[in-house]
Amino acid sequence: MKVTQCTGEGQGSCKRCSDKGKWNRNWMCFLYKIEGYEGCYCSDCVKEIKAEAGVEDGTER
């Protein structure tokens, strides 16, 4: 699972948080793209998605 930092200036929102109805606004440098997933995600959601996929932290970033 490849996780990369989002590019762009200004603020953006986490797709997963938005889908769950949670208001989440972050600077783009604090949002991440996950290979195979559409949109940008906050660090908390990246951790949850990795846990659901069975990927341990520290593997292939």
Side-chain angles (χ1 to χ4, degrees):
M1 179 176 286
K2 186 175 181 183
V3 178
T4 56
Q5 191 173 10
C6 287
T7 57
E9 295 181 14
Q11 296 182 343
S13 58
C14 172
K15 183 179 182 318
R16 185 176 171 133
C17 288
S18 295
D19 290 347
K20 289 183 172 182
K22 179 180 168 186
W23 186 84
N24 186 331
R25 209 76 173 138
N26 284 308
W27 294 108
M28 289 301 287
C29 62
F30 297 121
L31 294 172
Y32 302 91
K33 286 187 182 258
I34 303 173
E35 187 177 45
Y37 291 81
E38 194 172 316
C40 292
Y41 299 89
C42 66
S43 60
D44 291 338
C45 288
V46 169
K47 289 176 188 173
E48 290 175 12
I49 291 169
K50 281 184 166 185
E52 289 171 5
V55 176
E56 295 180 20
D57 279 342
T59 58
E60 191 180 339
R61 269 199 137 180

